[in-house]
Amino acid sequence: MNNQINLKPVDLLSDEEIKPLLQIINYDKGINPGLNEKPLKLESVEGFKLKSSDWQKSRCGISFAIFYQGEPVGEISLSRINQPTSRVGGFISIEHYGKGIGKATFRRILEIAKTMGIKEITSTIDEKNLVCRKIMEPYVIES
């Protein structure tokens, strides 16, 4: 599975790579309104670029598009990358659930975080998001 998953920084995406992400953000029943419990509408490629750039600057973060078999299927982000404890969040299109993409992506983002010197990752997961809980559960260390 890992060789079918690639992460690409969103600020390096072409307009054609952004368009499928816009479709997921705007119309995927598994994603929206799950993003902060309010519908997010991004009408254009330029809107996506601006929102992504603003988010990365304000959160001191980096966002990656998730590619599965060469197609963009979601996004994963790290925020507070200038601190020892970072936050992770993201989404995958509902049509790609159950393919191991989430697990492979989470392992990959942990590798990236480690190379950046990040010592700890936190996340807020909705109690109803059983898929995400299952992905992250093996990595949870509670104190």
Side-chain angles (χ1 to χ4, degrees):
M1 170 58 68
N2 276 350
N3 60 353
Q4 296 179 356
I5 301 293
N6 290 306
L7 300 182
K8 184 175 182 179
V10 295
D11 51 343
L12 299 180
L13 296 177
S14 70
D15 290 359
E16 291 306 308
E17 291 170 325
I18 291 171
K19 289 177 184 176
L21 292 175
L22 284 174
Q23 289 295 309
I24 295 167
I25 290 168
N26 289 329
Y27 303 109
D28 194 293
K29 300 291 185 216
I31 305 306
N32 209 352
L35 296 173
N36 299 321
E37 296 299 322
K38 56 186 170 189
L40 176 65
K41 287 289 185 187
L42 294 173
E43 301 297 332
S44 67
V45 168
E46 288 307 313
F48 177 91
K49 290 177 181 179
L50 181 62
K51 187 82 167 170
S52 178
S53 176
D54 288 350
W55 182 91
Q56 290 182 85
K57 288 175 187 169
S58 70
R59 300 286 197 307
C60 193
I62 185 166
S63 294
F64 299 90
I66 304 165
F67 284 79
Y68 174 67
Q69 296 180 339
E71 297 296 320
V73 298
E75 188 175 340
I76 192 162
S77 302
L78 289 169
S79 60
R80 301 189 306 209
I81 59 174
N82 61 338
Q83 300 176 22
T85 299
S86 183
R87 291 187 56 80
V88 66
F91 61 86
I92 296 171
S93 171
I94 196 169
E95 74 180 70
H96 291 91
Y97 285 13
K99 297 178 181 179
I101 297 169
K103 283 183 182 178
T105 300
F106 190 64
R107 282 193 297 266
R108 184 77 51 87
I109 204 72
L110 290 177
E111 292 167 6
I112 290 170
K114 186 176 181 179
T115 64
M116 296 172 71
I118 296 169
K119 305 287 186 213
E120 185 177 351
I121 300 285
T122 64
S123 187
T124 302
I125 306 168
D126 186 284
E127 64 186 40
K128 297 174 190 167
N129 192 341
L130 301 178
V131 172
C132 189
R133 287 187 177 283
K134 186 176 179 182
I135 290 168
M136 293 186 180
E137 198 170 70
Y139 302 95
V140 173
I141 301 171
E142 296 187 41
S143 53

